[in-house]
Amino acid sequence: MRSVILAAGTGTRLGGTNTKALVEVSGRKMIDYLFDFIDVSTFEEVLVVGGFHYGELEDYIDSLGYQNVRVLENPDYLKGNIFTLMRALKEFNSGSFLITNVDHIYPRVMFEKMKESFSGITAMCDFDRNLGLDDMKVLLREDDTHVEAIDKKLTNYNCGYIGMTYVDGAMNDVYRSAADETVNKVGEKAVVENILQTLAANSETAPKICDLSGFGWYEVDDATDLARAEKGLLTDKNFTR
């Protein structure tokens, strides 16, 4: 299994002076939290795709000495983040993979729960947040298990997507075809979540969800998010124990 980490963002709302992956939260860089979360040693290969301030990201990750981590450059990082994903997909043709965003801080215990759901195409979600305008919302099919629609603008929804998707090796070609279709349909503004919507349009390929409610996690998009994360990490039992 591979891990694909989307780390090309500019971090404009965090000041835009460095790539998001290297922004510090409570004295640690965001990429370090993510490496801890996935436990790098559990993966055959970890592909980190950078863009903005790419050289600094590459130098930092090289300094960590991981043998199974590679840093790739997406020169089109100002386009939708689907192009960051597509850069990684060029590096392998088969096998399972987990896609994650670098600006999310998840507790390690959540990963253990996630692994139990690894099959097919699985979107990681939770039901316990009050979702705002910038949150990715998910409407479920009647079975309450598979995705009917996913979009930030949904007014009727059941849960929120938390920035991770698992793709089993058996569904690799299906996912890649949906990614190509999405780029052709949406164009330069396409984001990774649009692939899930493309898949959801067909009941046979609709992604299932993994419910990760109750764990708690932090997205760091702006100064308010950063302050909330730094405060929460001091007391959150899933991070302090």
Side-chain angles (χ1 to χ4, degrees), residues 16 41 59 64 122 128 154 161 166 210 239:
S41 66
D59 289 346
L64 299 178
T122 304
D128 52 359
L154 291 180
Y161 176 69
Y166 171 82
C210 171
F239 289 94

Side-chain angles (χ1 to χ4, degrees), residues 26-67:
S26 293
R28 303 188 67 211
K29 301 184 190 305
M30 280 202 270
I31 190 71
D32 292 326
Y33 286 105
L34 192 51
F35 283 157
D36 284 352
F37 169 69
I38 64 172
D39 186 0
V40 170
S41 66
T42 66
F43 287 87
E44 170 189 347
E45 185 175 42
V46 177
L47 300 174
V48 182
V49 189
F52 185 63
H53 285 227
Y54 170 77
E56 294 171 26
L57 176 64
E58 182 182 38
D59 289 346
Y60 178 72
I61 292 178
D62 284 349
S63 75
L64 299 178
Y66 291 115
Q67 297 301 304

Side-chain angles (χ1 to χ4, degrees), residues 75-179:
D76 294 321
Y77 65 87
L78 292 178
K79 298 179 181 179
N81 72 349
I82 196 171
F83 296 95
T84 301
L85 171 63
M86 299 290 270
R87 175 65 184 88
L89 294 182
K90 293 178 181 178
E91 296 296 310
F92 62 97
N93 296 314
S94 60
S96 59
F97 56 96
L98 175 69
I99 306 164
T100 64
N101 291 320
V102 79
D103 59 352
H104 292 51
I105 300 175
Y106 310 101
R108 184 71 181 85
V109 65
M110 180 190 284
F111 187 71
E112 298 305 318
K113 174 65 175 179
M114 280 173 53
K115 289 194 293 187
E116 299 173 7
S117 75
F118 283 177
S119 64
I121 299 174
T122 304
M124 308 304 160
C125 298
D126 63 17
F127 289 78
D128 52 359
R129 283 180 296 147
N130 292 319
L131 303 182
L133 293 175
D134 201 41
D135 292 313
M136 192 63 67
K137 303 163 185 71
V138 177
L139 174 66
L140 298 176
R141 292 174 175 269
E142 291 183 357
D143 63 4
D144 291 330
T145 301
H146 291 83
V147 177
E148 173 76 24
I150 175 169
D151 196 286
K152 290 183 178 181
K153 296 180 181 179
L154 291 180
T155 57
N156 180 28
Y157 54 87
N158 303 99
C159 55
Y161 176 69
I162 71 170
M164 292 182 283
T165 295
Y166 171 82
V167 180
D168 191 74
M171 298 298 288
N172 196 306
D173 289 343
V174 172
Y175 187 87
R176 287 170 184 267
S177 294

Side-chain angles (χ1 to χ4, degrees), residues 187-231:
E188 291 188 355
K189 294 184 178 180
V191 295
V192 171
E193 291 83 2
N194 294 150
I195 303 172
L196 296 176
Q197 181 58 63
T198 298
L199 291 162
N202 184 335
S203 61
E204 295 184 359
T205 60
K208 65 184 179 69
I209 68 161
C210 171
D211 180 5
L212 294 171
S213 301
F215 289 101
W217 56 280
Y218 300 94
E219 182 174 9
V220 183
D221 253 344
D222 57 29
T224 300
D225 290 342
L226 178 59
R228 184 175 69 89
E230 290 189 322
K231 181 179 179 180

